[in-house]
Amino acid sequence: MNADRSVRPARTVNRLEAAGWLIVAVGVLLQIGHFVGGRAFWLDEAMIALNIRHLSPTELMGRLEYDQVAPIGWLQLEKLASYLPFRSEYALRLPSLVAGLGGLVLFRALARRVLGPWAALAALTLFALSRPLLRYAAEVKPYEVDLFFAVALLLLGVILLARAGRSWGWLVALALTGLVAVTLSLASVFVLAGVGGVLFAHRVIARRGVEAVALGVVGALWMAAFGVLMIWFYAPQTADTVVTTGGAHDFFVRNVYAPFPPTSIGDLKWYATWPRETLQFLFGRDSRFAVGLVIFAGVCLLARRSPWIAAMGWSGLAAGFLASALQLYPLYDRLTLFMLPTLVLTAGAGLDWLVERSRPHRGPLLLLLALMLAGSLTEIAKSFALSPPYSIGDLRPALAEVASERGPADRLYVPNGAIPAFLAYRQAAGLADMDWTAAPIDSQDWRCAGPMMPPAKPGGAVWMLTYMLYEPGKTSADAGTIAGGAPPRAAQADGTAVYKLAARVPGLGAQASLVKICGAPRQGPPSFYPSPRLIARTR
């Protein structure tokens, strides 16, 4: 009997171990499935992709087009990826995919060190099915790299906390990982502050002076490296741009910079709405309250069981809040991805407590876990229902249609929001030699944009692209013709002649012309109009 009882826990552990690898395999397949879909670059991706493809490695270390700001090391890594013999969507997204897959595997090891077997499996499931993890594993942005280094640095910190004797090998690994992290990830500096600061305090309190001194030296190296990058690269990148002088900066001040100290009802409201919106971004609308409650319970439980680990994770988040209060880092959905590992581990601590209290009945626990996963699963189902997954603002079918039907005297009229994607794809579409005019509006309504369009040349027509960024899956792009004296192929009620694309073009339809988003004319050039240097290099 006693032997039989001793075998049962071993069998359970083995089954949980196998289940963990199964969850990892599911997460890997979902990430790869998203990646191979090869969706088009959307607005933000197109802006950074144009910089990577058309600027030299030296130019990428200076001021970027479209006021883009990105880690210097990540830009150079992306430049190397751009030389791979793949289509741009695959080559430029490959670093994000590698980071996403690596982060998933490392998180399994992290969860097993911090949580009990059942809670580690639940936390791994919550992490693997997180919508941002899947989405940004196939996007030309550094957010997945932020996540990878958050997991890697926390894992190294947890390993060092558990080492009773001197562990110079792990300390060197932490030092080198941190130095690489500050060049590839802006958010990693917050995780480094939490991991390095807590390890230093732990060694001081434990009277392990030599290791404390070594950690102090390592921390100084990290700060020096980040300081050099800030002074030489990031400050010139952001100087006199919308990030610091207006436009996007105004949005950040109102919405995603933490107002500290709060001086109004609006400031206090921010502290109530930001956690809800962040949980919705990370775990989905349907699960934000369930996950939030478990995280709230897990904070106290993790602090009681593993105070040093709790301090390591949450002090990194506190560093991010401090930078946001100083208006140095916006806490805006995708920029908070570095917080995901700590939040999931904290939720796992809450689940760990529930596992102990629910034995031998697992029904309520499984129901709670289902509620915590409902948001992510719903988002995944919606995203993969599109073809390809997460499609948003795809201009490629519209450009192909224009290329197949345009006349020698035709020209393109490109509204502001469509300019980056148009420049990214016009060469591949065979439209590099076609005359085009940039519109100083973000309008997607023919009646708003039509009067501002240039006149058609004799015997030609003006094609207009529209760009639907906020309604993926319905109609992501369309193309129209304002006929220059020729009989219209289709007419709106107001008399505007619009060429409605045939249903055979994937993802397109006549309903695009019914969108009522009338933008007021801008003063000066369109905000997404790049420099002549970049325009010339996209031919």
Side-chain angles (χ1 to χ4, degrees):
M1 292 292 293
N2 292 334
D4 182 59
R5 288 180 180 178
S6 65
V7 169
R8 287 180 183 177
R11 289 178 179 174
T12 300
V13 170
N14 290 337
R15 289 172 182 172
L16 292 176
E17 183 87 2
W21 283 115
L22 179 62
I23 293 299
V24 169
V26 170
V28 167
L29 290 176
L30 287 173
Q31 290 189 40
I32 293 177
H34 178 196
F35 177 82
V36 299
R39 63 179 173 85
F41 294 135
W42 71 289
L43 177 63
D44 283 14
E45 278 189 293
M47 288 191 290
I48 195 67
L50 286 169
N51 282 279
I52 295 167
R53 283 163 52 180
H54 299 293
L55 300 187
S56 68
T58 302
E59 289 172 325
L60 286 172
M61 300 176 74
R63 180 73 167 269
L64 302 180
E65 300 280 344
Y66 293 117
D67 293 343
Q68 293 289 291
V69 177
I72 295 300
W74 178 82
L75 287 171
Q76 300 301 323
L77 181 63
E78 287 287 338
K79 189 64 180 180
L80 288 174
S82 70
Y83 297 129
L84 294 174
F86 308 138
R87 213 173 74 192
S88 289
E89 290 88 353
Y90 296 123
L92 297 185
R93 289 171 177 156
L94 187 59
S96 293
L97 177 66
V98 173
L101 297 177
L104 177 58
V105 173
L106 291 181
F107 185 82
R108 175 187 170 275
L110 176 62
R112 292 176 70 244
R113 286 179 173 272
V114 176
L115 306 170
W118 284 98
L121 179 63
L124 177 61
T125 305
L126 193 62
F127 185 86
L129 299 181
S130 173
R131 174 180 172 270
L133 174 68
L134 300 178
R135 174 175 177 177
Y136 294 108
E139 186 152 312
V140 191
K141 284 290 183 177
Y143 312 130
E144 202 79 356
V145 179
D146 294 342
L147 180 63
F148 170 81
F149 280 111
V151 176
L153 293 169
L154 283 173
L155 177 59
L156 288 170
V158 169
I159 291 173
L160 283 166
L161 280 175
R163 304 287 291 188
R166 292 182 180 179
S167 46
W168 297 113
W170 288 109
L171 183 58
V172 170
L174 177 65
L176 294 178
T177 303
L179 288 174
V180 174
V182 296
T183 66
L184 294 172
S185 165
L186 293 174
S188 66
V189 67
F190 309 132
V191 185
L192 286 170
V195 171
V198 168
L199 281 175
F200 178 79
H202 179 268
R203 294 309 195 251
V204 170
I205 293 175
R207 297 183 179 180
R208 295 163 66 172
V210 176
E211 290 182 73
V213 171
L215 283 166
V217 172
V218 169
L221 288 175
W222 290 342
M223 289 189 291
F226 188 74
V228 168
L229 293 174
M230 282 293 296
I231 295 172
W232 286 4
F233 300 111
Y234 301 135
Q237 268 188 7
T238 59
D240 299 323
T241 68
V242 296
V243 177
T244 56
T245 61
H249 182 68
D250 294 338
F251 167 78
F252 291 149
V253 170
R254 292 193 305 271
N255 296 278
V256 289
Y257 281 143
F260 186 81
T263 58
S264 66
I265 297 298
D267 290 348
L268 293 175
K269 184 180 178 181
W270 186 92
Y271 287 96
T273 58
W274 182 85
R276 183 185 72 236
E277 293 175 353
T278 301
L279 289 175
Q280 177 176 322
F281 169 74
L282 294 175
F283 303 104
R285 177 184 295 273
D286 297 335
S287 295
R288 56 185 177 178
F289 292 114
V291 174
L293 287 174
V294 176
I295 289 176
F296 182 77
V299 169
C300 298
L301 295 166
L302 185 62
R304 187 178 64 187
R305 292 183 178 182
S306 308
W308 289 108
I309 294 176
M312 188 178 292
W314 283 90
S315 58
L317 272 59
F321 263 93
L322 177 60
S324 180
L326 297 173
Q327 297 189 8
L328 297 174
Y329 189 85
L331 292 177
Y332 179 60
D333 55 30
R334 51 201 137 164
L335 298 175
T336 63
L337 204 53
F338 75 96
M339 298 181 175
L340 183 64
T342 296
L343 294 177
V344 173
L345 286 177
T346 306
L351 290 172
D352 217 354
W353 181 82
L354 291 173
V355 168
E356 294 179 357
R357 298 298 185 275
S358 64
R359 289 175 179 153
H361 305 292
R362 302 293 187 195
L365 179 64
L366 294 176
L367 178 60
L368 177 60
L369 183 59
L371 290 174
M372 295 173 68
L373 292 172
S376 294
L377 293 174
T378 301
E379 296 290 342
I380 291 171
K382 288 180 180 179
S383 300
F384 278 81
L386 304 178
S387 181
Y390 297 97
S391 297
I392 181 170
D394 190 348
L395 286 180
R396 292 176 299 182
L399 294 178
E401 187 76 2
V402 173
S404 66
E405 297 202 16
R406 66 165 173 148
D410 289 0
R411 67 171 62 174
L412 269 174
Y413 186 63
V414 186
N416 183 49
I419 294 174
F422 165 69
L423 291 176
Y425 288 113
R426 67 167 178 164
Q427 189 175 50
L431 298 175
D433 60 338
M434 187 175 184
D435 290 340
W436 67 284
T437 302
I441 60 172
D442 288 314
S443 174
Q444 296 176 30
D445 188 332
W446 309 113
R447 289 171 295 181
C448 296
M452 303 182 66
M453 294 176 68
K457 297 178 181 179
V462 178
W463 293 75
M464 178 180 173
L465 297 174
T466 66
Y467 192 70
M468 294 185 66
L469 184 60
Y470 301 106
E471 297 186 65
K474 294 182 180 178
T475 303
S476 58
D478 197 4
T481 298
I482 304 297
R489 306 188 188 187
Q492 297 293 334
D494 63 351
T496 304
V498 179
Y499 170 50
K500 298 181 179 180
L501 292 177
R504 62 181 174 79
V505 180
L508 300 181
Q511 68 267 33
S513 62
L514 302 178
V515 179
K516 306 299 181 186
I517 306 177
C518 299
R522 298 174 181 269
Q523 299 297 323
S527 58
F528 292 129
Y529 195 82
S531 69
R533 171 187 65 174
L534 189 59
I535 292 176
R537 295 182 186 182
T538 60
R539 289 187 177 276

